[in-house]
Amino acid sequence: MDSIFRAVFCAFLLAACAACTNIPFGYLFRPSEPNPAAQMPALETHIFSLVQDQRRKLDPKAATLAFDPELAAIARRRSADMAKNNSFTGSGDPHASATMLMAADANFQGLVGENVAAQHYRRETVIDPTIFAQRFVDTWLASRPHKDNLSFADYNRTGVGAAVNADTIYVTQLFSTDLGLGSQGASAPPPQVKAVASPQEGKDDNEKVPLRGDIMPSGAH
């Protein structure tokens, strides 16, 4: 009986407080508004998994992608830059691009590919990471340059970064491989950084002369 009395008494106090402050009683129990930013890590994880599955379907011999923290950090910075400026071009910050990795490591020889995309959402709705991840991957699969990046068999490392502003989610996925070349050593001359149209073109060029290919197809909407 004592427990019942306490429960009724507490409910009475809440109702009394609501009346005193002119706040509707139901407002006190209103659920908090969705926090889109809190869903970004789950979205990144789902995209990573879906892309891994698609690579196996498109080419069973494709290398398994390993999660690379360095690539993920750059991808998140790139997406945050796009979200802040609401644009795929971002602010032009050289530290928010796929070339950041290569610029920071003069010994790196190989390819870095970048896929970006954006999806709109309504602020009042809860973002479902599973649904949005599928939309992002489907968008890339529908674009030949992005699909080539996603399915290039030699890529063996990746990082995904997602960021959100008031109405748009931006995602960046970076892919990388050293094509078996490994580090060239500190005494090696600085390698050439070159943008190429496709991962395969970059691989072909690497077989001719050492270079670092940066694959960045245009953003997808």
Side-chain angles (χ1 to χ4, degrees):
M1 178 67 76
D2 186 47
S3 296
I4 295 175
F5 174 77
R6 281 202 215 107
V8 173
F9 182 67
C10 290
F12 172 76
L13 283 180
L14 286 173
C17 290
C20 292
T21 57
N22 295 319
I23 299 175
F25 182 67
Y27 185 85
L28 296 172
F29 301 96
R30 182 177 297 177
S32 59
E33 292 185 0
N35 179 10
Q39 300 302 317
M40 295 303 101
L43 177 62
E44 294 172 358
T45 300
H46 283 293
I47 290 174
F48 174 86
S49 179
L50 287 173
V51 168
Q52 196 87 274
D53 290 342
Q54 285 297 326
R55 283 172 60 83
R56 296 190 190 101
K57 293 177 182 178
L58 294 168
D59 185 354
K61 296 181 180 179
T64 298
L65 294 173
F67 173 76
D68 188 312
E70 188 174 10
L71 290 175
I74 298 170
R76 288 174 185 137
R77 187 166 183 172
R78 169 80 161 110
S79 292
D81 188 61
M82 291 188 292
K84 178 182 178 181
N85 294 278
N86 210 30
S87 169
F88 284 113
T89 58
S91 64
D93 180 356
H95 298 295
S97 69
T99 56
M100 177 182 175
L101 175 67
M102 294 185 291
D105 184 359
N107 294 325
F108 176 79
Q109 298 282 336
L111 297 172
V112 173
E114 177 184 272
N115 279 355
V116 297
Q119 295 283 341
H120 291 292
Y121 75 98
R122 290 188 299 172
R123 181 80 183 187
E124 66 273 13
T125 61
V126 176
I127 294 173
D128 186 324
T130 304
I131 294 175
F132 274 84
Q134 189 66 62
R135 290 177 184 173
F136 277 108
V137 175
D138 286 346
T139 297
W140 288 332
L141 291 173
S143 164
R144 183 57 184 270
H146 294 82
K147 183 178 180 180
D148 286 347
N149 257 354
L150 182 154
S151 62
F152 185 58
D154 289 85
Y155 284 141
N156 56 12
R157 301 190 300 280
T158 190
V160 183
V164 62
N165 58 26
D167 63 0
T168 307
I169 303 169
Y170 287 91
V171 168
T172 303
Q173 182 163 20
L174 299 180
F175 305 89
S176 181
T177 175
D178 62 10
L179 293 172
L181 297 172
S183 172
Q184 302 302 296
S187 60
Q192 176 188 2
V193 178
K194 178 180 179 182
V196 291
S198 71
Q200 187 58 52
E201 181 179 324
K203 181 178 179 180
D204 292 342
D205 283 350
N206 255 296
E207 292 175 348
K208 297 174 184 176
V209 292
L211 59 81
R212 299 185 291 173
D214 173 21
I215 318 300
M216 293 194 294
S218 60
H221 298 268

